[in-house]
Amino acid sequence: MQWITIILLGIAVNLDNLGISLAYGIKRIKIPFISNAAIALLSMLVTYVAITIGEALIDYISVYLANLLGSLLLCVIGAWTLLSKRFAKAGRIKSFDKDQNSILSLKEAILLGFVLSANCLATGIAIGANDITTIWMVISIGAFSFITVAIGSHFGILLAKSFIGRYSTAIAGWLLIAIGIFEIFI
């Protein structure tokens, strides 16, 4: 059962990456391999640190309470994701291509990677509190980060018109809520 959670969390945390890279694809801003890898590595690093913090919480509270709090935190993150879309500004995407050369440089990708890894921070703490295998979770988040950015960047125009492209933030929010509820009952 833990594999399902690991895969679903890896996807859910990175659906924002898909949305951002779709926007870049539509604007014909390229995200080179090295820039994409930097974004994925930052997501992995932030996730690892956050999971470690979440695991440390288990030392101070019971495993049951830690799992419950971690699951509830996933639900809260999902709800926040759903609500944040309503308050997001459409113009924030173009600000990361500072030199406006239509290529996301390594330096620009690192800045974007820190912004995108914010989801990983909160989710990682919840994962650590739920005692989900750290190494596979970090690998899952890094792999899905790389995959979603590559797909979004490459197929931006096509996917932006699809259901996933239009509703990637909402899908991520509902998926996090569903995983949180699922984790409460297992």
Side-chain angles (χ1 to χ4, degrees), residues 170-181:
I171 293 168
W174 286 113
L175 191 53
L176 285 169
I177 291 170
I179 292 167
I181 292 169

Side-chain angles (χ1 to χ4, degrees), residues 146-169:
F146 190 86
I147 290 167
T148 56
V149 169
I151 288 172
S153 178
H154 187 70
F155 295 106
I157 294 171
L158 299 174
L159 287 178
K161 297 176 184 174
S162 75
F163 179 81
I164 292 173
R166 285 192 307 263
Y167 301 106
S168 63
T169 301

Side-chain angles (χ1 to χ4, degrees), residues 1-184:
M1 283 300 231
Q2 201 174 51
W3 283 104
I4 294 169
T5 300
I6 289 170
I7 291 169
L8 289 176
L9 279 171
I11 293 169
V13 169
N14 287 297
L15 283 176
D16 280 352
N17 293 23
L18 179 63
I20 296 293
S21 61
L22 284 169
Y24 276 111
I26 290 168
K27 294 177 185 225
R28 294 189 177 17
I29 297 173
K30 294 182 172 124
I31 303 175
F33 178 87
I34 193 76
S35 297
N36 190 1
I39 292 168
L41 286 172
L42 279 170
S43 294
M44 292 172 75
L45 178 64
V46 169
T47 300
Y48 178 77
V49 169
I51 289 174
T52 303
I53 292 168
E55 288 172 343
L57 292 176
I58 293 175
D59 293 338
Y60 299 103
I61 57 177
S62 71
V63 173
Y64 172 77
L65 184 58
N67 285 336
L68 180 62
L69 291 175
S71 298
L72 292 174
L73 183 58
L74 284 173
C75 292
V76 168
I77 295 165
W80 179 79
T81 301
L82 290 171
L83 293 174
S84 68
K85 181 178 175 155
R86 293 184 181 184
F87 302 112
K89 294 182 180 173
R92 68 181 170 158
I93 293 167
K94 59 186 169 189
S95 66
F96 289 104
D97 186 20
K98 297 289 185 193
D99 56 11
Q100 297 180 348
N101 65 351
S102 295
I103 298 173
L104 196 68
S105 70
L106 181 58
K107 185 177 176 181
E108 294 164 339
I110 290 171
L111 179 61
L112 178 60
F114 276 116
V115 171
L116 291 174
S117 66
N119 278 352
C120 299
L121 182 63
T123 306
I125 292 171
I127 291 165
N130 275 320
D131 200 28
I132 297 172
T133 307
T134 303
I135 189 69
W136 290 114
M137 195 67 250
V138 169
I139 290 170
S140 174
I141 286 177
F144 282 111
S145 172
F146 190 86
I147 290 167
T148 56
V149 169
I151 288 172
S153 178
H154 187 70
F155 295 106
I157 294 171
L158 299 174
L159 287 178
K161 297 176 184 174
S162 75
F163 179 81
I164 292 173
R166 285 192 307 263
Y167 301 106
S168 63
T169 301
I171 293 168
W174 286 113
L175 191 53
L176 285 169
I177 291 170
I179 292 167
I181 292 169
F182 176 75
E183 285 293 317
I184 289 171

